[in-house]
Amino acid sequence: MRRSMPAAAAATLLLSTVLAGCATGTSAASSASAQLVGVAMPTTTSTRWVADGKNVSAQLTALGHQVDLQYAQDDVPTQVAQVQEMIDEGVDALIVGAVDGTALKDVLAQAGAKDIPVISYDRLIRDSPDVDYYATFDNLRVGVQQATTLLQGLGVLDAGGAPTGATGPFSIELFAGSPDDNNATVFYDGAMSVLRPYLDSGVLVVPSGQTDFDAIATPAWSGKTAGERMRTLLPAYESSGRRLDGVLSPYDGITIELLAATAEIGYGTAAQPWPVMTGQDAEVASVKSIIAEEQYATIYKDTRQLAEVAVSMVDALLNGQEPETNDITSYDNGVEVVPSYLLRSQVVTKASYQDVLVASGYYTQQELG
Ligand code: BGC
């Protein structure tokens, strides 16, 4: 582990820096910043991950590093092969947004053997002793925020988060993310910590009875798969005449498909308003949907900040320094507790999108139509 950067390791890094500088013909003076960083990202099917790759690359380049950025299109063998290639081409550090957090152990053992620092990006890489640092958001809080917005949309909590005394019962269905993504369980745990008391007291009911993580998980975070599951649940609502009041959805790309499935049986009209639906990532299409009063809320994670944390971790390690962390207890990957830096996410609703997304420069008003 390089987390405490012993002097010998620092010396090795410095030496490899100089050697790398010589090999590429650059001067030793500039070589401290001219290193090659492999950036492995999960997919381009979601705009958030496209932004992550762009931001990380731009920030590394601005510091004078070279970047090998690869996307795995949610395919585990592809990502393993990409990381292998990065190691083979001699990267000096790796930033990895895992497709399957449990599938990288073997390839990362090679990185470990070569003293290549590894930053786990957004998603925790599990079961591996070769993960040095973790750059992410406070994922438990994301789940809490998702459940809180669901309760606010239903009118169970007021805008300040205080109980209104509404007793319902409100019929909801629950969706979770991909079982191979550690974040998905953390989001679920956070959300359930808020929802459980209301399920226990009967203010909320889940007519399908599907509340366990395994029952509600969505492999590969696939919107299509989630939409298909929703279509198996809706006939019971139709036949009983029961209204679906709300849905805990873990991700904007899933919410879009869930809205479409409910529209097929008449939701989204004056007679049958949309169920209250949550989300995550503040993707453009979904912010537009929020503005159009379809989706109720999303959770915004500033990928510029996440890139900044990961890039500064890499830069510190490449310069023989210890990266800044703010959490050294929460993220046990099954082998070790990975020192982490957790960022804070923000809730976005129709009332707040301008302040949170436009004023911060994340999107222009024009982009949101
Ligand atoms: C990320 C979320 C994202 C999801 C699907 C998770 O690991 O933390 O921001 O919505 O993956 O891409």
Side-chain angles (χ1 to χ4, degrees), residues 46 48-49 122-123 181 183 187 221 250-251 280-281 301:
S46 153
R48 91 140 269 197
W49 291 111
D122 191 89
R123 299 173 170 174
D181 180 350
N183 284 353
F187 300 146
W221 294 91
Y251 154 55
Q280 176 168 201
D281 293 339
K301 296 154 82 176

Side-chain angles (χ1 to χ4, degrees), residues 5-17 320:
M5 189 49 70
T12 310
L13 272 177
L14 277 177
L15 184 64
S16 66
T17 299

Side-chain angles (χ1 to χ4, degrees), residues 31-48:
S31 63
S33 59
Q35 301 209 40
L36 177 60
V37 182
V39 181
M41 289 285 167
T43 182
T44 53
T45 56
S46 153
T47 54
R48 91 140 269 197

Side-chain angles (χ1 to χ4, degrees), residues 17-359:
T17 299
V18 172
L19 291 176
C22 292
T24 55
T26 55
S27 74
S30 65
S31 63
S33 59
Q35 301 209 40
L36 177 60
V37 182
V39 181
M41 289 285 167
T43 182
T44 53
T45 56
S46 153
T47 54
R48 91 140 269 197
W49 291 111
V50 175
D52 284 283
K54 227 162 72 190
N55 294 333
V56 170
S57 294
Q59 292 180 27
L60 284 169
T61 308
L63 289 174
H65 298 301
Q66 286 164 2
V67 182
D68 180 0
L69 169 64
Q70 301 289 338
Y71 281 93
Q73 305 313 355
D74 278 328
D75 185 59
V76 178
T78 301
Q79 186 164 61
V80 171
Q82 287 172 338
V83 174
Q84 179 73 59
E85 268 170 39
M86 290 172 184
I87 294 170
D88 292 346
E89 76 181 327
V91 291
D92 298 290
L94 283 166
I95 295 177
V96 182
V99 172
D100 177 342
T102 63
L104 296 167
K105 181 174 184 273
D106 291 346
V107 74
L108 291 187
Q110 296 176 45
K114 292 185 171 176
D115 269 349
I116 300 169
V118 176
I119 308 296
S120 190
Y121 186 88
D122 191 89
R123 299 173 170 174
L124 183 65
I125 296 169
R126 295 195 54 89
D127 307 332
S128 166
D130 300 301
V131 183
D132 294 276
Y133 289 90
Y134 183 29
T136 192
F137 286 82
D138 182 339
N139 295 305
L140 199 71
R141 190 164 170 274
V142 169
V144 167
Q145 288 175 320
Q146 289 174 326
T148 302
T149 57
L150 176 59
L151 292 176
Q152 286 172 326
L154 292 171
V156 174
L157 298 178
D158 67 19
T164 60
T167 53
F170 298 100
S171 297
I172 62 166
E173 294 295 341
L174 310 177
F175 286 74
S178 189
D180 58 8
D181 180 350
N182 190 68
N183 284 353
T185 11
V186 183
F187 300 146
Y188 171 78
D189 288 345
M192 291 308 278
S193 72
V194 174
L195 298 182
R196 201 160 274 124
Y198 294 96
L199 290 165
D200 290 347
S201 68
V203 172
L204 299 178
V205 289
V206 179
S208 71
Q210 296 174 14
T211 57
D212 289 347
F213 179 81
D214 289 347
I216 66 167
T218 311
W221 294 91
S222 159
K224 190 167 169 278
T225 303
E228 280 160 12
R229 181 174 158 247
M230 184 58 115
R231 287 183 185 90
T232 68
L233 304 179
L234 290 174
Y237 284 83
E238 280 189 286
S239 58
S240 65
R242 195 196 274 263
R243 173 173 159 74
L244 174 64
D245 297 306
V247 181
L248 177 76
S249 170
Y251 154 55
D252 286 349
I254 286 179
T255 314
I256 287 179
E257 297 296 331
L258 299 181
L259 286 165
T262 61
E264 287 164 12
I265 60 159
Y267 284 85
T269 58
Q272 185 73 296
W274 294 109
V276 175
M277 291 207 198
T278 63
Q280 176 168 201
D281 293 339
E283 297 199 324
V284 170
S286 298
V287 179
K288 286 182 177 171
S289 175
I290 289 171
I291 296 169
E293 299 184 3
E294 298 162 357
Q295 183 170 333
Y296 179 73
T298 187
I299 307 300
Y300 163 58
K301 296 154 82 176
D302 189 337
T303 53
R304 297 169 301 188
Q305 288 178 4
L306 185 57
E308 209 173 303
V309 171
V311 167
S312 64
M313 282 176 165
V314 160
D315 201 52
L317 290 166
L318 291 178
N319 286 295
Q321 292 154 5
E322 194 163 340
E324 188 184 340
T325 55
N326 63 6
D327 185 304
I328 52 164
T329 57
S330 298
Y331 283 99
D332 186 335
N333 80 348
V335 176
E336 58 176 10
V337 177
V338 184
S340 308
Y341 193 99
L342 310 187
L343 288 158
R344 283 170 86 76
S345 51
Q346 280 174 274
V347 167
V348 174
T349 60
K350 186 171 185 184
S352 68
Y353 84 92
Q354 268 162 331
D355 274 358
V356 179
L357 299 174
V358 181

